[in-house]
Amino acid sequence: MEKVKLAVIYYSSTGTNYQMAKWAEEAAIEAGADVKVVKVQELAPDVAIDSNPAWRAHVDSTKDIPTAALADLDWADAYIFSMPTRFGNVPSQMKQFLDTAGGIWAQGKLTNKVVSAMASAGNSHGGQEITIKSFYTTMMHWGAIIVPPGYTDPSTYAAGGNPYGTSVTVDQEGKMIEDIKEAVKHQARRTVTVANWIKKGKE
Ligand SMILES: Cc1cc2nc3c(=O)[nH]c(=O)nc-3n(C[C@H](O)[C@H](O)[C@H](O)COP(=O)(O)O)c2cc1C
């Protein structure tokens, strides 16, 4: 059977979700997937980016990461999305990308994709869970097969116990507070495993 194709699609201003995307990539490759990591288009004006040196530094250091395109959604069997919360919700950059997908959605090209999502926030109860759940609403409209981590592995507990998707709290210095690396990797492996089952079942 052909390898599962996984697109890891993220938005990050200051690097947290980029790191989560890279851990997911590492685990998915180990699990045998063909993986692409892509970032959604930055929409904020330079004046906003320049107001935060960490944001500017991250934008500059990731300029060579390809920008997510609709072709990536079509190409992949499975997606892992990673995003920071914005006022308790999906960031506009990610939402804008989703909202460009109406055409391929109407053609049925987004049906039965295997999807899992991750998030970060600045406060321990700042909106991680609701951001992931809001994100999953769009995935239900796409007819996706949502694969949450649940409590399928002990790493979820060390990561703060979010069963909807791995999430993390970031302190004032931008450092991750919970130990989430293993939870991200478990979530990625689980996504690839379920995508393999679906792919085999379709053959
Ligand atoms: C406009 C804006 C809104 C934010 N809203 C929230 C929020 O509602 N709750 C929260 O805990 N953190 C909030 N944050 C903090 C971000 O979620 C945090 O900086 C982010 O998760 C770090 O991820 P990144 O390094 O990938 O950008 C907000 C940050 C910005 C810039």
Side-chain angles (χ1 to χ4, degrees):
M1 195 185 76
E2 213 185 78
K3 282 182 171 187
V4 159
K5 296 191 277 267
L6 174 76
V8 181
I9 303 172
Y10 76 94
Y11 174 70
S12 185
S13 294
T14 54
T16 312
N17 288 273
Y18 169 68
Q19 175 64 79
M20 291 162 79
K22 294 301 282 179
W23 285 332
E25 175 191 34
E26 201 181 304
I29 290 171
E30 284 162 15
D34 186 0
V35 187
K36 265 188 199 179
V37 177
V38 290
K39 62 176 195 273
V40 298
Q41 177 80 55
E42 180 57 88
L43 302 174
D46 280 338
V47 65
I49 297 171
D50 289 334
S51 70
N52 178 352
W55 192 356
R56 168 53 66 198
H58 181 69
V59 167
D60 290 348
S61 68
T62 53
K63 64 179 184 336
D64 295 333
I65 302 277
T67 301
L70 295 178
D72 299 319
L73 293 177
D74 191 19
W75 169 82
D77 304 304
Y79 315 135
I80 292 178
F81 288 92
S82 195
M83 71 211 81
T85 195
R86 289 287 181 261
F87 303 126
N89 223 314
V90 174
S92 56
Q93 291 86 346
M94 181 62 79
K95 189 68 170 56
Q96 164 72 5
F97 178 62
L98 301 180
D99 292 352
T100 62
I104 63 168
W105 167 82
Q107 292 163 28
K109 290 184 174 172
L110 300 178
T111 310
N112 294 335
K113 302 287 186 175
V114 172
V115 177
S116 205
M118 312 190 284
S120 68
N123 300 280
S124 53
H125 300 283
Q128 292 91 331
E129 296 179 12
I130 196 73
T131 297
I132 292 173
K133 288 187 73 182
S134 302
F135 180 85
Y136 284 156
T137 299
T138 300
M139 295 302 107
M140 291 183 222
H141 285 246
W142 287 9
I145 298 160
I146 297 171
V147 180
Y151 294 101
T152 55
D153 189 77
S155 58
T156 304
Y157 297 99
N162 184 343
Y164 310 110
T166 306
S167 65
V168 72
T169 310
V170 182
D171 71 14
Q172 297 285 351
E173 281 75 49
K175 188 174 161 292
M176 295 190 202
I177 291 171
E178 295 91 1
D179 180 9
I180 60 156
K181 184 175 179 181
E182 283 315 309
V184 169
K185 294 186 92 174
H186 168 67
Q187 187 171 349
R189 282 192 297 270
R190 178 170 155 79
T191 304
V192 172
T193 300
V194 174
N196 254 308
W197 294 339
I198 305 283
K199 207 174 167 75
K200 262 192 202 138
K202 280 181 180 169
E203 278 184 358

